Amino acid sequence: MRSGEQKLPHLFQPGQFGRFKIKNRIKYGACCVSNYNTRDGFITERELARVKVIADTGCGIITNQGAYPDPLGEGKAYFRQVAIYDDKFLPQFEKIAAMIKDQGAMAIQQILHAGRYGGIDLGYCVQPSDVPQTLPHFRPPKIMTTEEIRDCVRQHADAAKRCIRAGFDGTEITSFMGYLLANFNSRFTNQRTDEYGGSIQNRGRFMRELIDGIKQATPDNPLIVRLNGAELMDKWGGNTEDECFELMQQAVDCGVDMISVTVGWQEAPESSIGRDIPPGYWNYLSERAKKTFPNTLITFGNRLPDPRMANDCIRDGVFDFWEVCRPLLADPELIHKAAEDRLDEVRRCVGSLNCLSRLFRDLPYTCTMNPALGHEVEPEYHVTPTTVKKKIMVIGSGPAGMECAITAAKRGHEVTVFEKTGRIGGNLYAYAANDLARPDDLHSIIRHYEAVAKRVGVEIRLNTEVHAKFMRSVLHQYDVCVVAAGATIDHDSHCTVEGHELMIDALDVAHGRVKTGSRVVIVGGGKIGLTVGESLRKNGAEVTVVEREKRIAGDIKPSFKWRHASWVDELGIRCLTSSRPTRITTDGVTVLNDKGEESFVPADTVLLAASRKPAHDLLHEFEWMVDELHGIGDAVVPRGLEQAIQEGFRLGVRI
Amino acid sequence: MNSAALPDPQAWRAAAAARPELFQALDEGARIGLIARSAPAQMLVWEAAAGGPGACLATFPGYANAGVDLLMAANDSALGDIVAVARNGLFDVLRAGIRSGEVVCYMLRRRCDLEALGYEELLEALGFAFMGACR
């Protein structure tokens, strides 16, 4: 037994699922469709390469992503989702089942009919009742007839048989996040008056028929059903938590073999898995399921990214299997690192929901934290030993610089990182220091870089600023120079504003180098301005944001814009959009909007958080001083964490 | 709940007139409905017209035949708040209601169609530019 396994004995103890022995208590959840496949439902080489990585994660049960079961594609939720409505799809499923089983895991295939969120290639979606969409990217509803419901059940049963023929050990059906099964179960979307609607017994009929149909079709293979412990739709007339558990009881009474407890719908007005939800927040739902159904296996993992927490949950009877997906997107070696007691090296899922944001734009999923995700099939993204060992200097220890340094060092290069301040992390440190959601997630990225840099032998020189004079002092000592010095606030952009010299750099405040007064105006309503403004407001300052554009949050990820917009409202931050400062004094700021109206905002501190300027000067200065010179991240074009990590990695794998 | 719980059409028209920037890009005939979720017998409708948005009460014929592009269905408490602020600060209350779940905002057209009809500013004011799957 490896040292980490001894520390997490409950997580790594073997389990039993039906007639199958499971090597540990970890289930890879089918939480995300990859969108790597063909438009007509066939599995691609890209997908197979990705599945190989999933098979190698070390999970005891692995659930392959959901396949839609109907030929019309009414169940199809995602642009490049796989299908299993015909035998023609079997060869690739056979490969996937074999890959999973070759690694000693139990192979489960999920059957996903998206219902309300389906029909992506059609002009409609199917639902139990005519309840319009609340998110405008989904299709208008078409009510299912009784005959269509029965066809749908048959299609699920046929799909399940096909899964087993392909070599899977079991199947899973899902109501996760508001798919068809959830639509029938929920009072919000099921307003039928026939035998499939009305009472909870009637609303659960479709689920019971699905379970019966699949159990009859595949009597020797276990069936898992994913069911909401909480829909978070009750304010809109959806099910209460008690009703959710009544539906679980129906599933148990029908003989389902395992319940996967989930939380929320995609359209729910509350957050369920975003980074503003603390890890462990939803555990009570799983605990209730386990206590209510002690003889049914329970698996759970919503917003539960930490193997230590999962170990304790299994010990305490909160669930039987830890269901994990997004943390394994961020770090496919998570389970192995846990088993080897190397959790400090884990690249944590920070809940940015980049994966989902891309899916709903019909793009393949990628991960903010894992730059190789989705590129497994491309040798160019593999970390391979270098043929020519080089001495590399990396200027800047933000995510771009550290990612590049670590990747290059893993390949055998000799890497030194130069950091002008006394700590690594760059502006990510400042972001974490002001973040209202989950600062620890952001700090974990820095801790990950510290731990891995040490392990792979990256030298880090703190308090060392690299400029032309320094470069001359190390001339010919390095083969490669990587400028990852980030970006600074562009004060020149506001130098025509009267009194501009009174403006303080928002990054200085974010880093804690400068304190503000109690009445603050922030010029710039993007990521930096809002993050600093929210933090100052939370600590009692009166904050006004002045933004030149029509809207705030222009440079923030779609999946987190709503959070900043909510904070602005909740905290009472005043936002003056389509506006710019014209005069700054020690008493405040005169602001002009695009209608030509002028107003005065009293302030004792004015912060500049507007446009950012990349560190191009270093690239120009060093051009003739080193053999290879590269720029990455914000030093090239100021953007965000994802691009910094991606570019750092891409350069690191090819130097 | 009956139609008396809905705001007065005149107040509703005035609320739209007070925020012309949200309505000026709308195609003529664009319609936004408001119903009481607990008893949707009647529907209060904003309709974009050449002279600015009008407001009227209509019978609510059900979702499929509502004939509106957006339909806001408010819980009783939210409806009280909406009536109280119909003449001032309405869109802040609507946005807060949608965000908290007290108001369900149904989209009877897809986003691309709504934007083609000129709904971008109104969706923004209602907070929809910031909403997304799983939050």
Side-chain angles (χ1 to χ4, degrees):
Chain A
M1 187 179 269
R2 293 174 288 183
S3 56
E5 291 174 333
Q6 287 173 346
K7 288 186 176 175
L8 304 171
H10 305 283
L11 188 64
F12 286 104
Q13 70 181 307
Q16 186 82 27
F17 182 19
R19 60 191 165 87
F20 298 90
K21 289 196 187 308
I22 313 297
K23 63 183 174 186
N24 56 37
R25 298 300 191 91
I26 305 162
K27 175 180 185 281
Y28 188 95
C31 70
C32 249
V33 164
S34 65
N35 260 351
Y36 296 165
N37 300 292
T38 69
R39 291 280 286 116
D40 51 355
F42 285 96
I43 292 165
T44 61
E45 289 302 315
R46 185 182 190 184
E47 181 68 41
L48 293 174
R50 169 74 197 137
V51 172
K52 177 74 175 69
V53 171
I54 294 171
D56 288 342
T57 52
C59 296
I61 303 173
I62 291 178
T63 322
N64 190 39
Q65 65 178 279
Y68 62 94
D70 66 302
L72 279 178
E74 289 173 338
K76 182 179 178 184
Y78 302 97
F79 199 64
R80 294 180 183 277
Q81 189 181 344
V82 294
I84 191 150
Y85 61 79
D86 192 281
D87 286 356
K88 67 185 179 183
F89 300 108
L90 278 179
Q92 279 84 11
F93 280 100
E94 287 168 359
K95 285 184 188 171
I96 288 177
M99 269 192 245
I100 294 169
K101 289 158 83 169
D102 282 351
Q103 296 305 315
M106 181 183 184
I108 302 291
Q109 176 59 49
Q110 185 184 80
I111 302 163
L112 190 169
H113 190 304
R116 181 171 171 78
Y117 303 150
I120 182 163
D121 297 331
L122 309 172
Y124 64 94
C125 68
V126 292
Q127 290 197 133
S129 305
D130 175 28
V131 177
Q133 302 289 359
T134 66
L135 291 177
H137 50 252
F138 296 124
R139 309 297 183 260
K142 173 176 166 288
I143 301 172
M144 292 176 84
T145 64
T146 307
E147 189 52 40
E148 285 167 341
I149 293 170
R150 288 176 185 150
D151 276 348
C152 186
V153 171
R154 275 194 292 274
Q155 286 163 349
H156 277 77
D158 288 346
K161 273 196 278 195
R162 216 166 268 126
C163 297
I164 301 307
R165 278 170 52 208
F168 286 90
D169 300 312
T171 53
E172 177 175 283
I173 51 175
T174 178
S175 71
F176 188 46
M177 289 289 171
Y179 296 137
L180 184 64
L181 177 50
N183 302 156
F184 273 92
N185 283 347
S186 178
R187 271 193 288 119
F188 175 63
T189 38
N190 187 344
Q191 294 165 10
R192 297 177 77 96
T193 52
D194 62 5
E195 69 268 35
Y196 289 99
S199 68
I200 194 162
Q201 196 65 18
N202 278 0
R203 297 202 307 274
R205 186 181 305 279
F206 176 67
M207 174 181 70
R208 297 194 306 275
E209 289 182 358
L210 276 185
I211 295 171
D212 283 345
I214 293 173
K215 293 293 281 182
Q216 284 180 37
T218 59
D220 300 326
N221 300 85
L223 172 64
I224 303 164
V225 59
R226 303 198 88 183
L227 288 171
N228 279 112
E231 290 180 350
L232 309 181
M233 299 285 283
D234 37 334
K235 280 185 183 165
W236 292 1
N239 289 340
T240 62
E241 285 182 15
D242 286 345
E243 287 173 305
C244 289
F245 280 85
E246 278 188 60
L247 286 155
M248 279 187 209
Q249 181 70 61
Q250 291 185 27
V252 168
D253 293 344
C254 255
V256 77
D257 300 288
M258 180 186 279
I259 291 177
S260 163
V261 179
T262 69
V263 184
W265 280 29
Q266 282 171 3
E267 60 200 294
E270 289 177 57
S271 184
S272 59
I273 56 173
R275 56 181 292 266
D276 54 327
I277 300 296
Y281 185 83
W282 302 112
N283 287 5
Y284 73 95
L285 294 168
S286 177
E287 188 167 14
R288 178 174 174 183
K290 190 65 239 172
K291 283 194 173 138
T292 311
F293 315 112
N295 298 321
T296 301
L297 292 172
I298 301 294
T299 181
F300 177 77
N302 281 69
R303 206 65 185 110
L304 189 67
D306 189 331
R308 288 164 293 210
M309 291 176 77
N311 180 70
D312 292 349
C313 284
I314 293 167
R315 179 197 63 200
D316 298 340
V318 176
F319 48 75
D320 301 292
F321 286 86
W322 180 36
E323 184 150 37
V324 56
C325 173
R326 264 168 251 284
L328 287 166
L329 301 187
D331 192 341
E333 293 180 42
L334 168 65
I335 307 304
H336 301 297
K337 288 175 180 173
E340 292 160 11
D341 198 18
R342 296 193 289 127
L343 282 172
D344 58 338
E345 294 175 24
V346 168
R347 197 191 277 275
R348 191 190 290 185
C349 167
V350 296
S352 72
L353 297 186
N354 186 45
C355 41
L356 282 173
S357 299
R358 285 177 58 94
L359 284 189
F360 285 101
R361 282 155 186 80
D362 298 336
L363 296 169
Y365 73 9
T366 57
C367 177
T368 297
M369 300 306 302
N370 178 4
L373 184 83
H375 298 284
E376 291 85 355
V377 74
E378 300 170 59
E380 294 82 358
Y381 279 77
H382 296 175
V383 180
T384 52
T386 180
T387 49
V388 180
K389 184 177 174 180
K390 297 176 184 174
K391 279 192 76 173
I392 300 172
M393 63 185 302
V394 177
I395 304 170
S397 68
M402 293 305 293
E403 190 72 34
C404 180
I406 287 167
T407 308
K410 282 180 180 172
R411 296 180 53 228
H413 292 304
E414 186 180 335
V415 185
T416 306
V417 174
F418 296 89
E419 168 54 47
K420 71 178 177 184
T421 72
R423 60 184 169 227
I424 73 159
N427 286 336
L428 179 59
Y429 178 87
Y431 181 18
N434 291 273
D435 176 44
L436 297 194
R438 289 280 307 157
D440 189 58
D441 281 340
L442 302 176
H443 283 302
S444 79
I445 303 171
I446 300 172
R447 291 196 299 269
H448 159 82
Y449 284 136
E450 281 172 337
V452 180
K454 190 174 175 188
R455 184 172 70 81
V456 300
V458 172
E459 183 188 357
I460 297 175
R461 291 196 200 165
L462 299 175
N463 301 305
T464 308
E465 184 167 7
V466 178
H467 36 60
K469 187 178 171 189
F470 180 90
M471 280 298 278
R472 281 192 290 276
S473 75
V474 297
L475 214 56
H476 307 304
Q477 291 183 27
Y478 293 92
D479 305 302
V480 183
C481 173
V482 178
V483 176
T488 51
I489 301 290
D490 184 8
H491 285 257
D492 292 343
S493 63
H494 285 73
C495 64
T496 57
V497 176
E498 187 182 338
H500 66 92
E501 65 280 1
L502 293 171
M503 286 198 281
I504 293 171
D505 194 308
L507 285 174
D508 283 337
V509 175
H511 277 280
R513 296 190 283 259
V514 175
K515 298 284 177 212
T516 69
S518 58
R519 299 173 98 179
V520 181
V521 167
I522 301 176
V523 178
K527 189 172 1 189
I528 295 173
L530 290 178
T531 303
V532 172
E534 289 151 6
S535 175
L536 292 172
R537 180 74 189 108
K538 195 179 178 199
N539 288 311
E542 190 180 298
V543 175
T544 302
V545 170
V546 178
E547 168 58 45
R548 183 184 290 263
E549 298 295 327
K550 204 158 66 173
R551 296 186 181 123
I552 59 167
D555 61 351
I556 293 171
K557 265 186 196 305
S559 57
F560 217 55
K561 278 189 182 191
W562 75 274
R563 184 64 267 185
H564 283 284
S566 298
W567 278 326
V568 163
D569 285 353
E570 288 160 17
L571 294 166
I573 294 174
R574 187 180 173 210
C575 288
L576 304 175
T577 53
S578 302
S579 299
R580 59 189 172 86
T582 55
R583 185 165 179 260
I584 298 166
T585 67
T586 52
D587 293 328
V589 182
T590 303
V591 174
L592 182 71
N593 68 19
D594 62 358
K595 293 176 188 155
E597 298 161 343
E598 211 169 63
S599 59
F600 181 75
V601 185
D604 53 27
T605 313
V606 182
L607 305 186
L608 183 59
S611 59
R612 287 185 290 163
K613 186 169 67 173
H616 286 173
D617 48 344
L618 296 182
L619 285 163
H620 293 308
E621 283 185 40
F622 302 161
E623 192 175 355
W624 297 95
M625 301 173 107
V626 68
D627 182 10
E628 279 185 52
L629 178 63
H630 303 276
I632 49 172
D634 286 358
V636 179
V637 180
R639 286 152 297 165
L641 179 63
E642 180 195 355
Q643 292 84 359
I645 291 175
Q646 301 274 336
E647 287 181 11
F649 177 82
R650 284 178 197 154
L651 182 61
V653 289
R654 74 178 165 86
I655 290 178
Chain B
M1 181 165 293
N2 57 40
S3 61
L6 293 170
D8 172 65
Q10 266 194 323
W12 207 236
R13 188 179 303 117
R19 296 293 302 274
E21 75 279 11
L22 305 183
F23 292 86
Q24 64 196 13
L26 291 180
D27 283 2
E28 270 186 55
R31 285 158 59 91
I32 302 117
L34 173 72
I35 56 172
R37 206 169 62 78
S38 58
Q42 284 199 290
M43 173 170 67
L44 183 57
V45 179
W46 272 316
E47 180 163 351
C56 64
L57 274 173
T59 301
F60 178 62
Y63 297 118
N65 301 308
V68 294
D69 309 312
L70 299 182
L71 180 64
M72 293 177 282
N75 288 350
D76 292 356
S77 61
L79 206 49
D81 294 342
I82 289 167
V83 170
V85 300
R87 288 177 190 275
N88 187 23
L90 173 65
F91 289 90
D92 292 339
V93 168
L94 287 175
R95 181 160 71 171
I98 291 169
R99 206 169 262 161
S100 69
E102 296 298 324
V103 178
V104 188
C105 189
Y106 293 112
M107 303 283 173
L108 285 96
R109 289 178 185 271
R110 290 177 59 191
R111 179 171 214 129
C112 50
D113 299 325
L114 290 170
E115 288 179 354
L117 286 168
Y119 271 98
E120 189 181 350
E121 293 298 325
L122 192 61
L123 287 176
E124 167 77 18
L126 295 174
F128 271 84
F130 295 128
M131 297 186 77
C134 305
R135 308 300 159 129

